[in-house]
């Protein structure tokens, strides 16, 4: 899981899991998914019902319209049958020739010829009858044949029609036309009295002959009607089911005697049945489409979610070690403080000696060391400890803050880090400093806990490698004091209250003044005179060291104008050398003062070999190109290697006061001093002995090879005026620069 493929498992320090989704959330999400599915299914079901309902209702409406049309058509057909027959009877009966002929002797022949014989194949009627007022048939023909049993043929039901035809003036359009039962089935029948075309209205018809036509509704006739009126399946029935589709055939009295009947065509239903599979398939396809969209959507949702999770993991974890990073650390801290507000401990860890490893072996080795440290912390600490890398070589551990657990944790961390690390075949020894804070006394928020642990860590760092400090209020008080001191120093620098004093540097053989070393002095308004060791550190921490250094340099070169012929030394902090513009600024100051750079020596301590060696080397070479000399200060008090000395190419070495002081005790120390001086000589470096307080010391260091001596024996640090009056006031003094 770790981006480097390193051996750290993030799960190992999941004291309060942040990546795993809580169970209730999983259940909630599941419920949301199920409810959404049910809603979609319900929606689709309703949609399906509505759509199919709409189609069904359309189909029903279409069916009903068609039924109505068919009924209207059937009734129209019956009406048309009656009208046609009525018109035919009228045309033949209202006829002057016919009327006349009926009174003539050849009435029968005439009637037979005109009406009887035409019944053979005449489309409008198949039966023709002429009846006299007494009810005797003059002629009766059916399909071209005489019809002797007329009464039986019409089943004795002719009488009402005949009498209706003889009623006075029924009117041309009110002739009796109706359906009648015959021996052959059902026929349409119509009758009219035979009369002149222009017969006088209101004349009695009782004594006139009556002409009667009828037409059998044979299967052919019915089929014809079915076709003409587009009523599929039309048939003539003697009885029907009330609910079926039909139209009634009524006799002259208005009685139903037969029916035209036909089946439901239901074109709507038929169409509906035809489109239903299409509807179902479309519905299924829609369902499939929705399912596809849902599946794709879910896939995208999953991908986005897992992308989010990965991004969240990256945002909260350190790429190099897989440990929590600052953001992840704060999240866990908040959770820890919420769950255990009174028992949370925070350990801030800073590796001692990491930077030299990084500088010496390169960043790849540095990275491996950091990974190894992370691994070791994970292996060493209990599973519930939250381990994070806050950056660089800084780690933090959050744990339960019971006092004994806290002590155990500190012990575990310190001892884990004190075991050498083997990286690429090299054994690397580092250690860790720990600052610890906890919530046992007061409840704190994450940032306050962090601030306290940070202060404790500073304190631990100050105390030296491999130590731990538990925060207490005195640290805060110290911090407050330091802050106050910082403010005072800042003001002093602005006001020019930081002074310079000068200590003479004597030629070991002639005991003449060869130079002076400038030393800073400051009197704090609240704390009185402070030793430079103290306020230089304050200046370094507060970022004031550049200002302080340059101010001493300016004062020194200004005063040195009064001291011709001797050199001046100034102390330069390693931090000043990290300023890339340092050399340029020095040049500006010297030029402005008209000071010969060859007279200036810059004193640096071994710190520069560690802080930023490359930058320091570059600064040195610029300074040297101006003619300025560089001396290594306090040599013998630290660990500077010979290689480093050679590499930096110093111009002078100053033996630390402690080595000179040690001469007072026994022989071993003398040998250390002599060996140290011999080393410098081997590198062809002139040597200054510092802190020479007694004549014996002076003699001893001179005999050991020091060419320059500095110490209270020759003079304590003095003001510029004192230096002037001591060494440069009289022509005498000028000549010799002898000490007083
Ligand atoms: P240093 O550069 O080693 O300065 C010499 C220190 O030894 C001075 O202490 C001086 O007063 C003291 N000393 C000289 N002769 C004797 C002696 O015979 N016996 C004893 N016991 N001490 C002697 P001082 O002035 O307290 O300065 C302490 C340190 O503060 C200096 O050590 C130097 O590292 C730093 N410092 C002083 N002024 C400046 C400055 O302007 N800039 C920087 N960066 N550091 C400064
Ligand atoms: Ca010095
Ligand atoms: Ca020194």
């Amino acid at each position: 899981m770790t981006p480097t493929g390193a051996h750290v498992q993030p799960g190992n320090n999941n004291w309060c899991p942040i990546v795993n989704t809580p169970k209730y959330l999983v259940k909630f999400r599941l419920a949301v998914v199920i409810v959404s599915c049910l809603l979609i299914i319900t929606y689709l079901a309703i949609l399906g019902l509505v759509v199919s309902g709409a189609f069904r209702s359309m189909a029903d409406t279409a069916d009903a319209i068609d039924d109505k049309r068919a009924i209207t058509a059937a009734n129209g057909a019956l009406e048309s049958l009656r009208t046609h027959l009525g018109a035919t009877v009228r045309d033949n009966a209202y006829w002057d020739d016919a009327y006349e002929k009926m009174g003539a002797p050849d009435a029968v022949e005439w009637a037979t010829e005109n009406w009887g014989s035409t019944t053979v194949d005449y489309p409008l009627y198949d039966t023709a009858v002429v009846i006299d007022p007494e009810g005797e048939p003059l002629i009766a023909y059916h399909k071209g044949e005489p019809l002797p049993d007329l009464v039986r043929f019409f089943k004795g039901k002719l009488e009402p029609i005949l009498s209706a035809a003889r009623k006075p003036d029924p009117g041309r359009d009110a002739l009796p036309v109706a359906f009648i039962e015959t021996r052959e089935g059902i026929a349409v029948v119509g009758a009219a009295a035979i009369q002149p075309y222009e017969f006088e209205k209101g004349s009695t018809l009782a004594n006139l002959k009556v002409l009667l036509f009828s037409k059998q509704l044979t299967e052919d006739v019915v089929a014809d009607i079915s076709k003409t009126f587009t009523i599929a399946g039309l048939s003539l029935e003697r009885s029907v089911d009330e609910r079926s589709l039909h139209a009634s055939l009524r006799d002259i009295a208005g009685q139903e005697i037969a029916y035209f009947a036909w089946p439901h065509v239901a074109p709507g239903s038929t169409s509906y049945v035809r489109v239903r599979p299409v509807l179902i398939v479309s519905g299924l396809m829609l369902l499939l489409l929705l399912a596809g969209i849902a599946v794709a959507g879910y896939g995208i949702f999953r991908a986005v979610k897992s992308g989010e999770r990965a991004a969240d993991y990256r945002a909260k974890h350190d790429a190099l070690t897989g440990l929590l990073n600052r953001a992840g650390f704060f999240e866990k801290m908040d959770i820890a403080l919420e769950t255990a507000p009174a028992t949370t401990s925070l350990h801030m860890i800073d590796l001692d000696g990491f930077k030299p490893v990084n500088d010496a072996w390169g960043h790849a080795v540095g990275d491996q060391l950091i990974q190894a440290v992370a691994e070791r912390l994970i292996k060493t600490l209990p599973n519930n400890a939250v381990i994070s890398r806050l950056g660089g070589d800084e780690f933090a551990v959050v744990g339960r803050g019971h006092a004994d657990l806290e002590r155990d944790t500190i012990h575990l961390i310190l001892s884990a880090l004190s075991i050498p690390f083997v990286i690429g075949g090299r054994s690397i020894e580092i250690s860790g400093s720990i600052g610890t804070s906890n919530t046992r006394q007061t409840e704190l928020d994450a940032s306050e806990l962090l601030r306290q642990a940070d202060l404790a860590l500073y304190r631990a760092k100050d105390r030296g490698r491999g130590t731990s400090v538990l925060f207490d209020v005195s640290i805060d008080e110290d911090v407050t004091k330091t802050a106050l001191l910082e403010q005072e120093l800042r003001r002093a620098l602005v006001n020019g209250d930081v002074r310079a004093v000068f200590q003479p540097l004597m030629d070991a053989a002639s005991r003449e003044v060869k130079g002076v070393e400038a030393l800073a002095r400051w009197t704090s308004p609240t704390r009185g005179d402070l030793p430079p060791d103290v306020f230089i550190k304050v200046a370094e921490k507060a970022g004031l060291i550049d200002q302080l250094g340059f101010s001493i340099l300016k004062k020194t070169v200004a005063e040195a104008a009064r001291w011709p012929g001797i050199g001046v030394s100034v102390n330069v902090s390693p931090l000043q050398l990290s300023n890339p513009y340092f050399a340029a600024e020095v040049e500006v100051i010297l030029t402005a003062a008209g000071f010969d750079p060859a007279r200036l020596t810059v004193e640096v301590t071994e710190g520069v070999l560690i802080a930023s060696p490359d930058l320091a080397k570059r600064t040195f070479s610029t300074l040297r190109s101006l003619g300025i000399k560089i001396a290594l200060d306090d040599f013998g008090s630290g660990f500077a290697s010979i290689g480093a000395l050679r590499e930096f190419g110093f111009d002078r070495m100053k033996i630390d006061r402690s080595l000179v002081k040690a001469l007072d005790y026994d022989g071993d120390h003398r040998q250390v001093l002599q060996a140290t001086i011999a080393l410098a000589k081997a590198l062809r470096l002139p040597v200054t002995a510092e802190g020479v307080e007694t004549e014996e010391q002076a003699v001893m260091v001179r005999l050991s090879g020091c060419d320059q001596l500095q110490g209270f024996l020759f003079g304590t640090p003095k003001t510029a005026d004192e230096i002037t009056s001591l060494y440069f006031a009289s022509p005498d003094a000028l000549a010799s620069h002898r000490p007083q």
Side-chain angles (χ1 to χ4, degrees):
M1 271 302 275
T2 53
T4 52
H7 351 269
V8 179
Q9 279 142 25
N12 275 6
N13 61 73
N14 257 346
W15 181 34
C16 311
I18 45 167
V19 175
N20 300 342
T21 316
K23 262 190 183 158
Y24 76 89
L25 209 63
V26 172
K27 279 189 184 164
F28 176 73
R29 280 183 193 158
L30 200 69
V32 168
V33 169
I34 290 171
V35 168
S36 310
C37 286
L38 286 177
L39 279 177
I40 289 172
I41 289 169
T42 313
Y43 168 76
L44 286 177
I46 291 173
L47 188 73
L49 285 176
V50 167
V51 170
S52 85
F55 273 89
R56 182 68 264 173
S57 133
M58 268 162 63
D60 287 349
T61 309
D63 288 353
I65 288 172
D66 190 71
D67 284 351
K68 213 166 157 194
R69 178 204 64 82
I71 290 169
T72 311
N75 283 320
L78 294 178
E79 183 58 31
S80 147
L81 278 175
R82 282 209 314 269
T83 325
H84 272 105
L85 193 78
T88 308
V89 172
R90 188 183 59 223
D91 289 349
N92 284 275
Y94 288 44
W95 186 8
D96 295 343
D97 288 357
Y99 177 66
E100 264 169 40
K101 283 288 180 193
M102 285 308 110
D106 58 346
V108 171
E109 285 77 30
W110 192 89
T112 304
E113 193 187 337
N114 278 288
W115 298 322
S117 53
T118 49
T119 59
V120 179
D121 54 2
Y122 198 58
L124 296 177
Y125 53 86
D126 58 14
T127 308
V129 178
V130 177
I131 287 183
D132 65 15
E134 286 75 43
E136 282 304 311
L138 194 67
I139 62 156
Y141 275 87
H142 176 62
K143 296 182 178 168
E145 297 293 330
L147 189 65
D149 48 352
L150 180 65
V151 175
R152 267 203 282 158
F153 183 77
F154 284 107
K155 298 202 169 177
K157 287 182 179 156
L158 273 186
E159 184 38 42
I161 295 177
L162 296 174
S163 51
R166 278 203 190 88
K167 282 215 176 108
D169 196 14
R172 283 164 184 261
D173 300 321
L175 290 177
V177 182
F179 294 95
I180 195 161
E181 222 182 330
T182 70
R183 210 170 47 203
E184 291 178 357
I186 301 291
V188 58
V189 65
I194 302 167
Q195 55 198 286
Y197 189 72
E198 299 280 344
F199 201 53
E200 207 174 306
K201 262 206 166 169
S203 312
T204 175
L205 305 176
N207 49 356
L208 294 181
K209 293 186 178 71
V210 169
L211 175 63
L212 180 141
F213 288 155
S214 83
K215 167 102 180 151
Q216 282 298 320
L217 301 185
T218 59
E219 274 181 17
D220 287 351
V221 172
V222 174
D224 229 37
I225 291 169
S226 168
K227 210 169 137 197
T228 311
F229 290 85
T230 57
I231 308 166
L234 185 74
S235 64
L236 185 63
E237 305 291 340
R238 305 304 287 266
S239 68
V240 286
D241 176 352
E242 259 315 296
R243 285 163 304 170
S244 68
L245 290 171
H246 63 270
S248 305
L249 278 67
R250 295 174 191 276
D251 66 9
I252 190 74
Q255 292 297 311
E256 291 177 345
I257 55 163
Y259 306 91
F260 271 173
W262 64 95
H264 278 288
V265 176
S269 296
T270 313
S271 312
Y272 174 70
V273 168
R274 217 174 300 134
V275 300
R276 197 164 52 188
V278 177
L279 271 181
I280 290 170
V281 168
S282 311
L284 286 176
M285 276 167 69
L286 184 69
L287 201 71
L288 239 114
L289 181 73
L290 283 177
I293 289 171
V295 167
Y298 186 65
I300 291 168
F301 173 76
R302 287 280 301 263
V304 167
K305 265 280 158 211
S306 85
E308 255 175 27
R309 264 200 294 274
D312 188 64
Y313 183 86
R314 277 197 300 275
K316 286 168 186 163
H317 288 81
D318 169 44
L320 182 62
T321 60
L323 293 177
L324 294 168
N325 63 12
R326 197 166 269 273
F329 161 76
F330 269 105
E331 192 176 289
K332 289 275 181 137
M333 266 276 274
D334 286 341
I335 297 171
L337 288 172
E338 239 168 66
T339 43
T343 51
T344 296
S345 280
L346 169 62
H347 309 280
M348 297 285 286
I349 306 163
D350 191 276
L351 302 183
D352 305 315
F354 174 73
K355 196 172 181 314
V357 170
N358 221 17
D359 292 344
W361 307 115
H363 289 278
V365 173
D367 282 358
Q368 285 177 42
L369 179 59
I370 292 289
Q371 284 176 337
V373 167
E375 252 183 277
R376 201 173 278 180
L377 288 175
I378 288 170
K379 258 190 222 145
T380 313
L381 293 172
N383 270 355
N384 63 1
V386 176
I387 308 168
S388 3
R389 177 180 177 225
L390 301 186
D393 59 344
E394 203 179 47
F395 294 82
V397 172
V398 181
R400 296 290 188 197
H402 304 290
D404 44 350
L405 274 178
E406 190 175 274
R407 267 194 305 276
D408 285 354
T409 305
I410 292 169
H411 174 72
L412 284 172
I413 297 171
L414 287 182
S415 44
L417 296 180
S418 68
I419 304 165
F421 290 87
V422 178
I423 286 161
R426 293 183 195 96
S427 172
I428 299 178
E429 283 186 42
I430 52 160
S431 56
S433 300
I434 305 179
T436 301
S437 60
N438 59 52
T439 52
R440 282 200 295 278
Q441 312 295 328
T442 29
E443 281 190 17
L444 303 170
D445 64 11
S447 60
E448 177 57 14
L449 204 58
L450 194 69
R451 188 191 72 86
Q452 293 189 354
D454 253 338
L455 291 180
L457 178 61
Y458 271 128
R459 178 64 60 93
K461 278 278 187 199
D462 272 352
R463 286 194 188 160
R465 300 165 66 104
T467 50
S468 72
V469 168
L470 178 62
F471 176 85
D472 69 71
V473 279
S474 75
I475 294 180
D476 245 350
E477 286 163 12
D478 284 359
V479 170
T480 318
K481 273 187 205 153
T482 311
L484 186 68
L485 213 56
E486 259 179 47
Q487 264 178 19
E488 289 179 359
L489 183 58
R490 199 179 296 272
R491 217 170 301 137
L493 283 168
V494 172
N495 297 339
D497 291 344
V498 177
R499 311 177 305 278
V501 291
F502 304 91
Q503 189 177 28
L505 304 165
M506 315 304 289
D507 183 81
S510 68
R511 302 278 176 106
E512 285 177 356
V513 178
K514 287 289 174 189
V516 289
E517 176 182 358
L519 295 161
R521 292 291 178 266
W522 177 50
T523 310
S524 145
T526 57
R527 295 170 63 178
D529 282 344
L530 283 176
D533 304 293
V534 174
F535 69 79
I536 293 290
K537 256 193 210 132
V538 173
E540 282 177 341
K541 275 193 183 151
L544 297 169
I545 191 66
D546 272 348
Q547 211 181 333
L548 188 147
F550 290 134
S551 131
I552 296 293
L553 178 65
K554 274 184 207 158
K555 287 185 165 128
T556 303
V557 296
E559 300 292 1
R562 293 195 273 166
W563 311 324
I566 63 161
V568 293
S569 299
V570 291
N571 293 286
V572 169
S573 141
L575 281 182
Q576 288 175 268
L577 291 171
S578 326
N579 170 3
Y581 305 107
F582 176 76
E585 183 71 26
V586 169
E587 190 183 3
V588 168
I589 291 170
L590 298 191
T591 311
F595 189 85
D596 175 12
R599 289 178 64 195
L600 182 65
T601 300
V602 163
E603 293 189 10
V604 297
T605 55
E606 293 172 343
V608 293
L609 309 181
I610 295 165
S612 38
D614 295 336
L615 194 55
K617 241 184 267 175
R618 252 174 288 156
T619 307
F620 285 174
S621 76
T622 318
L623 291 174
R624 215 172 270 126
S625 70
L626 297 172
I628 297 166
K629 288 186 277 298
I630 295 138
L632 179 65
D633 210 352
D634 302 344
F635 187 65
S637 65
F639 316 90
S641 72
I642 302 167
L645 291 182
R646 205 191 300 248
E647 207 182 326
F648 279 78
F650 294 104
D651 301 296
R652 173 170 288 278
M653 214 143 88
K654 296 184 77 176
I655 303 281
D656 191 60
R657 202 166 68 220
S658 60
L659 290 188
V660 177
K661 182 88 189 150
L663 288 176
D664 299 350
Y665 304 112
D666 63 46
D668 277 2
H669 291 282
R670 191 170 306 174
Q671 277 163 13
V672 172
L673 176 81
Q674 283 170 345
T676 308
I677 296 169
L679 173 65
K681 289 274 153 197
L683 293 169
R684 297 202 178 79
L685 292 178
V687 185
T688 303
E690 295 186 303
V692 179
E693 292 181 353
T694 64
E695 194 53 44
E696 293 82 63
Q697 290 170 344
V699 171
M700 206 100 72
V701 293
R702 188 176 70 84
L703 291 178
S704 301
C706 292
D707 70 325
Q708 209 176 61
L709 309 178
Q710 177 181 9
F712 293 167
L713 176 64
F714 309 102
T716 53
K718 291 179 166 41
T719 63
D721 287 345
E722 287 171 332
I723 294 287
T724 308
S725 64
L726 274 175
Y727 304 111
F728 298 92
S730 66
D732 234 12
L734 259 172
S736 68
H737 302 325
R738 277 189 187 283
Q740 310 290 300

